[in-house]
Structures are given as C-alpha cells and as structure tokens.
Amino acid sequence: MAQEAAVYRGKDMKRKLLSVFILLVFLFGFGTVSAVEQHKEQTLNFVVMGDNRPANVFRPEQPYIYHKVVEKAVELDPVLILNTGDLVLGYDADSRQKAREEFDDFEKATAPIRKKNIPLYITMGNHSGYTEFAREAFAKRYKNTETGELYYSVDVKNCHFIVLCSELVNEVSQITGRQLEWLKGDLKRAGGKHIFCHAAPALISEDKTSEGFIEQISGKTGSACPSIQTVSC
C-alpha cells in the first residue's frame, strides 16, 4: 500500500496507479462448435483494477487516471470487473458524513460502470478499514446481498472468482476463522473451474503465507485444478 502522505504528480501518479491494471483472460470452454464460434465461446474478458484512492487529504477527489481507467474498462465491455480495494482515503473518515462523502465520490467516478450494468465486485482494502465509520460505510454498500458477508464467490462460465476480506475486525491481514472455513468449502464446490482470487500483500493464515496460499488450503495443484490465479495491487 502507498504511504498516505505521498503526493503523486505526472509519471509518479501514473506509476502509482499502474496498479490499476486490466487483464484480458482467454480461457477454455466447452462444446463442439466451429472454430469461430468456439473462439467466441472460449473467450472471457474481465477487468481488474484497484488502489484508486485519492493521494492525500489535500487532494481528496478520485484521481484523474481512475476516470480514464473506468472509461477504458467500459469500452472493453467485460463480463465483470474486480476492484481489489482501497477505494477511498479512509483514514480521515472521522464521521459517518465524511465516510459517506468519500464513498459517494468513488461512486460518482464509477458511474459509467454502473450505467452499463457491468457487475462490479469490490474487496475492502485497508483504507476502507482505518476507521469505524469508513468500515461501516463500506460494509453497508458492498457486502454480499445474499450472505451479508464481505467475502464471497462468483461463477461465470467455467471460471470461479473469489472475493476475500483481509480487513475483518480482529482478523486484519489474515484469512482465518469463519472466513477460512468458508473458503475451504468454497474451493471444494468450485470443482474443476478456473479459480481467480485476490491475494492481499500480507495475506497470512496461521502459519501459511500468501505464496501458494490457495493451493495450500485447497490441496489442489497441477492437474487437480485447471488453474489457480491470484491478482493483487
């Protein structure tokens, strides 16, 4: 995560926000169709972005580059978008009103995605967990509507996307407890799908580190699972 006091200009801003990146992923599908139809069936594109928060309290608005990333993401017309967290500055959200204003600003910049009805899945990030007001505002807006949790999974064709939260109360920088048990079961239910999971920089669960974390707890490696990919920023 970037230092909160940093001021980003020109190339520094672009370098910082290169962590807002776009992935076009081409995966194998099913069925016996012609070469052209098969390509269409097998192609799945989605966008990964994140760490788009403002630079500091003196520049509280969403960065210009984030608006450009949103514009490009909409142009790509993906099946879904994943945001890996740090939507807002967060640590200055010392009231419900301030927290609401920060997330409102994020949603204003994100409006083109909402207008196109592109599914957007967001993980918390530490900036949204700095204060109780920021945490409360994030949970109210972005928790899973079916489970009420900040961790969940989504299936699209033969792909399985996992959204984890490493900022739960008393579990910061960890995937443990009830969330870990849910994750183990979710990986079993994923079957032979391609698995994509956000890997936080300091993802730790008991004695396990982020390296190979999903493979470790699922016990799936090599041919046991088509692919397990982690994405981070």
Side-chain angles (χ1 to χ4, degrees):
M1 299 299 174
Q3 295 181 357
E4 287 72 30
V7 178
Y8 303 98
R9 294 187 177 92
K11 291 183 179 179
D12 288 336
M13 168 65 86
K14 292 182 179 179
R15 187 179 300 111
K16 164 68 175 63
L17 288 167
L18 280 178
S19 60
V20 180
F21 57 94
I22 298 174
L23 296 180
L24 295 180
V25 181
F26 302 91
L27 301 173
F28 291 103
F30 301 96
T32 55
V33 293
S34 67
V36 174
E37 292 175 333
Q38 188 176 42
H39 176 72
K40 291 181 179 179
E41 181 66 24
Q42 293 176 356
T43 300
L44 174 67
N45 71 304
F46 63 96
V47 171
V48 181
M49 60 175 70
D51 211 4
N52 52 267
R53 65 177 180 79
N56 51 52
V57 295
F58 303 107
R59 301 173 64 183
E61 71 283 351
Q62 286 291 315
Y64 167 77
I65 191 66
Y66 178 63
H67 291 268
K68 300 302 292 182
V69 168
V70 167
E71 181 182 322
K72 183 62 177 179
V74 170
E75 180 183 319
L76 290 171
D77 193 26
V79 295
L80 61 84
I81 296 175
L82 302 173
N83 189 306
T84 58
D86 285 357
L87 318 178
V88 300
L89 201 56
Y91 62 76
D92 62 335
D94 54 4
S95 68
R96 284 190 175 87
Q97 179 177 345
K98 178 59 175 173
R100 182 173 62 251
E101 289 173 354
E102 292 194 12
F103 284 105
D104 282 348
D105 185 55
F106 166 76
E107 282 295 334
K108 182 178 179 181
T110 309
I113 294 173
R114 303 297 192 188
K115 186 175 181 180
K116 287 280 289 187
N117 292 318
I118 301 171
L120 174 62
Y121 302 103
I122 305 171
T123 192
M124 181 178 276
N126 65 309
H127 280 264
S128 297
Y130 266 121
T131 72
E132 62 177 303
F133 302 112
R135 182 182 294 275
E136 178 185 88
F138 181 94
K140 184 177 181 180
R141 294 175 187 240
Y142 305 119
K143 65 183 178 182
N144 185 267
T145 55
E146 294 182 4
T147 66
E149 302 288 357
L150 292 172
Y151 51 88
Y152 52 91
S153 60
V154 179
D155 288 319
V156 179
K157 294 186 178 180
N158 62 333
C159 296
H160 187 72
F161 298 90
I162 302 174
V163 177
L164 298 177
C165 181
S166 58
E167 301 299 323
L168 296 180
V169 176
N170 299 322
E171 297 179 14
V172 175
S173 296
Q174 299 182 70
I175 302 299
T176 187
R178 190 171 68 174
Q179 181 175 196
L180 179 59
E181 293 308 308
W182 169 85
L183 179 58
K184 290 178 179 178
D186 185 69
L187 287 167
K188 290 180 180 178
R189 290 187 292 273
K193 296 180 182 293
H194 296 272
I195 298 172
F196 296 86
C197 178
H198 170 234
L203 194 63
I204 301 173
S205 177
E206 298 172 352
D207 62 340
K208 302 177 179 65
T209 65
S210 60
E211 184 177 357
F213 175 73
I214 298 299
E215 290 88 342
Q216 290 179 46
I217 66 171
S218 67
K220 296 179 179 180
T221 58
S223 61
C225 185
S227 66
I228 298 179
Q229 302 291 331
T230 57
V231 294
S232 62
C233 67

